[in-house]
């Protein structure tokens, strides 16, 4: 895959095909009017017009996403006597040209402006397997994080931030790790659920819910209307996992940062043991460790991770582990950790959540819950219910 910022002139210099499986171009006066108004508002300078997706083929490129915009722009140019070479769209052009001509009256030089100043984030896929939009071959979740990536690359182009290729390449390297599971883990579990659970304790959102992937997209690409443009101030406090990463470069740096923290978690010996046991509690432990490392860096990591582990894995002593019980337990623990002002306060408050098991119930997979006696005594970590 390659990502480039291209002007409309450069795009029309490509040999673009409309694949047979694509939905036909549909002319809509309202869309054309809005597009022209956008062009008029940026008549004097560069204008970012969103993203386009292409699939490379033997003789050129097939358009995968963006047919309606490119089709409308080609008709506008045709009305001005400029041939785009985009191909036949199968519409009644004379009626459309009349509508466009009335809107373009007295707009001298608008054709050159459109060709030169309109800029797009163009994504070129090398094969249909690589393209998330192609023939619905990829899952909705994969499509969601590819859409998130393209959105923020487009914002980098819009803000002229540079290094687009580097950020795109690093993003791809992250999401493809662990046979493609790393991207899903960061987007659909740790970061998205961590953010919503801290903001809204009443939320029961979990991966797999209907509309989940679209909700994840909105979490990382919020659709904030122009009426809120004046409110640009960012919090003077570091909000941690809830921080406002903005649009463009800031989003990628946020993602890269938490990916590096997850690397540290996965290097820990306890984490390797957890891979064999409850996936629900492992997820809570990972999320807690990300928040801890972000808030307190590695201040007392050797001790703190044992306390966090001990607290998270005390749930089986209280009730059966299910998706909903793990979710509720995770929200409680996460709120304590996130809202604690110091590491000492966080560990103290977490320790209060550990309830002793009076029945001395025997635990399954007891070896998982056994912390070395030396470490437990040194750090004053309570025993689990079934430990001797």
């Amino acid at each position: 895959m390659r990502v480039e910022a291209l002007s409309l002139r450069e795009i029309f210099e490509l040999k673009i095909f409309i694949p047979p499986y694509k939905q036909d171009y549909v002319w809509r006066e309202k869309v054309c009017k809005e597009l022209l108004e956008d062009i008029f508002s940026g008549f004097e300078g560069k204008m970012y017009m969103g993203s386009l997706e292409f699939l490379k083929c033997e003789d050129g490129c097939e358009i995968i996403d963006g047919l309606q915009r490119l089709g409308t722009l080609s008709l506008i140019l045709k009305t001005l006597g400029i041939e785009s070479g985009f191909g036949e769209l199968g519409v009644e052009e004379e009626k459309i040209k009349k509508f466009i001509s009335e809107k373009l009256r007295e707009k001298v030089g608008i054709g050159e402006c459109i060709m030169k100043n309109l800029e797009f984030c163009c994504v070129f896929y090398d094969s249909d397997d690589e393209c998330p939009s192609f023939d619905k071959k990829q899952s909705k979740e994969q499509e969601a994080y590819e859409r998130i990536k393209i959105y923020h690359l487009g914002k980098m182009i819009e803000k002229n931030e540079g290094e687009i290729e580097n950020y795109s390449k690093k993003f791809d390297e992250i999401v493809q790790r662990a046979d493609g599971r790393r991207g899903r883990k960061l987007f659909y579990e740790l970061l998205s659920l961590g953010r919503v659970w801290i903001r809204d304790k009443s939320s029961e959102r979990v991966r797999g819910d209907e509309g989940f992937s679209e909700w994840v997209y909105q979490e990382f690409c919020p659709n904030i209307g122009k009426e809120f443009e004046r409110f640009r101030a960012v919090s003077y406090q570091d909000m941690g996992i809830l921080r406002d990463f903005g649009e463009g470069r800031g989003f990628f740096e946020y993602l890269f940062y938490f990916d590096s923290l997850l690397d540290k978690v996965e290097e820990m010996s306890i984490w390797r043991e957890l891979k064999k046991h409850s996936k629900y509690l492992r997820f809570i432990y990972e999320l807690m460790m990300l928040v801890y490392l972000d808030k307190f860096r590695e201040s007392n990591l050797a001790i703190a991770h044992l306390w966090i582990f001990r607290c998270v894995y005390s749930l089986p002593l209280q009730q059966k582990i299910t998706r909903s019980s793990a979710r509720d337990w995770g929200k409680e623990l996460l709120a304590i950790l996130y809202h604690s002002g110091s590491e000492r306060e966080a560990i103290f408050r977490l320790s209060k959540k550990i309830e002793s098991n009076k029945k001395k119930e025997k635990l399954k997979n007891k070896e998982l819950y056994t912390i070395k006696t030396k470490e437990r005594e040194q750090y004053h970590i309570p025993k689990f219910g079934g430990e001797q």
Side-chain angles (χ1 to χ4, degrees):
M1 185 179 72
R2 188 178 89 253
V3 180
E4 286 186 68
L6 298 178
S7 68
L8 189 61
R9 186 189 303 280
E10 291 169 320
I11 291 168
F12 282 139
E13 286 172 358
L14 304 170
K15 194 169 183 182
I16 301 172
F17 300 97
I18 302 173
Y21 58 81
K22 283 297 289 180
Q23 178 185 356
D24 291 339
Y25 172 80
V26 180
W27 164 258
R28 295 186 180 91
E29 287 189 6
K30 182 181 176 183
V31 174
C32 182
K33 184 179 178 182
E34 290 173 354
L35 185 59
L36 286 170
E37 286 173 355
D38 286 342
I39 293 169
F40 297 158
S41 67
F43 189 75
E44 300 300 327
K46 292 274 185 187
M47 274 198 71
Y48 173 66
M49 300 298 290
S51 61
L52 303 172
E53 295 180 48
F54 300 95
L55 177 65
K56 293 179 184 176
C57 54
E58 189 174 342
D59 299 321
C61 299
E62 292 184 353
I63 184 161
I64 304 300
D65 183 57
L67 172 62
Q68 304 302 319
R69 273 170 295 156
L70 281 190
T72 301
L73 287 167
S74 72
L75 288 170
I76 291 171
L77 291 170
K78 207 174 244 189
T79 304
L80 296 166
I82 301 172
E83 285 297 328
S84 65
F86 187 64
E88 295 299 321
L89 292 168
V91 292
E92 297 180 15
E93 291 187 9
E94 292 308 313
K95 180 182 175 182
I96 296 168
K97 283 182 179 180
K98 183 179 179 183
F99 171 83
I100 294 172
S101 296
E102 291 175 357
K103 299 294 178 184
L104 295 177
R105 193 177 298 154
E106 299 178 0
K107 295 289 181 182
V108 179
I110 190 71
E112 182 60 26
C113 165
I114 290 171
M115 293 289 277
K116 178 182 175 183
N117 291 347
L118 299 195
E119 195 167 61
F120 296 80
C121 173
C122 297
V123 183
F124 296 91
Y125 297 103
D126 295 314
S127 67
D128 56 358
D129 291 328
E130 192 182 45
C131 175
S133 304
F134 186 80
D135 202 24
K136 298 183 180 178
K137 286 189 177 181
Q138 304 255 6
S139 73
K140 290 182 179 179
E141 289 185 347
Q142 286 175 306
E143 183 178 346
Y145 68 63
E146 284 295 342
R147 286 168 59 210
I148 292 166
K149 169 191 169 183
I150 292 168
Y151 175 89
H152 287 286
L153 287 175
K155 292 299 180 179
M156 288 182 71
I157 292 171
E158 186 178 357
K159 295 191 272 188
N160 197 28
E161 290 181 326
E163 296 187 80
I164 295 167
E165 283 287 350
N166 292 338
Y167 280 82
S168 175
K169 184 178 179 181
K170 189 168 181 180
F171 180 98
D172 290 341
E173 288 172 354
I174 287 173
V175 300
Q176 289 165 11
R177 289 171 63 186
D179 297 323
R181 293 190 298 274
R182 184 59 163 248
R184 299 186 193 104
K185 189 174 192 175
L186 284 166
F187 280 103
Y188 308 129
E189 294 178 359
L190 298 173
L191 297 181
S192 57
L193 292 179
R195 287 170 67 89
V196 73
W197 285 359
I198 292 170
R199 279 201 313 262
D200 180 11
K201 285 188 70 176
S202 67
S203 173
E204 297 186 356
R205 181 77 69 176
V206 289
R207 182 179 175 183
D209 290 346
E210 185 178 351
F212 182 78
S213 61
E214 185 60 31
W215 168 79
V216 170
Y217 177 81
Q218 292 299 331
E219 179 64 35
F220 294 102
C221 308
N223 184 19
I224 301 174
K226 290 184 177 180
E227 64 269 27
F228 301 107
E229 278 293 309
R230 70 187 72 185
F231 302 106
R232 293 184 173 273
V234 177
S235 173
Y236 288 104
Q237 296 178 324
D238 185 347
M239 302 295 288
I241 196 171
L242 282 184
R243 65 177 63 104
D244 179 9
F245 43 72
E247 296 176 317
R249 186 194 299 270
F251 159 77
F252 289 105
E253 291 177 350
Y254 173 89
L255 177 68
F256 301 161
Y257 169 65
F258 277 98
D259 177 67
S260 70
L261 295 187
L262 185 54
D263 279 339
K264 292 179 181 177
V265 176
E266 293 181 352
E267 288 168 4
M268 303 174 75
S269 57
I270 280 185
W271 181 84
R272 289 192 287 273
E273 277 297 308
L274 301 187
K275 289 183 73 176
K276 305 172 187 176
H277 302 280
S278 169
K279 64 180 180 180
Y280 299 132
L281 292 184
R282 185 177 74 240
F283 157 63
I284 301 300
Y285 175 80
E286 289 170 338
L287 185 51
M288 292 283 286
M289 289 306 301
L290 285 188
V291 174
Y292 170 83
L293 286 168
D294 178 51
K295 281 181 72 72
F296 306 117
R297 303 301 185 259
E298 297 183 39
S299 178
N300 286 295
L301 180 61
I303 309 172
H305 90 275
L306 291 173
W307 270 104
I308 291 172
F309 161 78
R310 173 65 181 84
C311 195
V312 170
Y313 277 79
S314 66
L315 180 63
L317 304 179
Q318 303 168 48
Q319 58 182 292
K320 184 179 178 181
I321 304 173
T322 63
R323 186 169 78 160
S324 60
S325 69
R327 177 197 65 217
D328 295 341
W329 185 234
K331 284 193 282 190
E332 279 191 66
L333 301 184
L334 198 59
I336 291 172
L337 181 60
Y338 181 81
H339 293 293
S340 292
S342 68
E343 184 185 37
R344 178 165 54 183
E345 180 194 353
I347 299 304
F348 171 76
R349 292 176 64 197
L350 287 173
S351 71
K352 294 298 181 184
K353 294 297 295 182
I354 301 174
E355 297 181 10
S356 62
N357 184 6
K358 296 177 182 178
K359 295 181 180 179
K360 297 294 181 184
E361 180 182 326
K362 288 186 177 180
L363 298 172
K364 293 180 180 179
N365 303 314
K366 180 181 167 184
E367 71 279 1
L368 171 65
Y369 301 94
T370 303
I371 300 173
K372 292 178 182 177
T373 303
K374 182 180 176 182
E375 291 177 328
R376 185 172 59 221
E377 291 176 351
Q378 181 182 355
Y379 303 136
H380 307 289
I381 299 172
K383 292 181 179 181
F384 281 101
E387 287 186 80
Q388 300 299 321

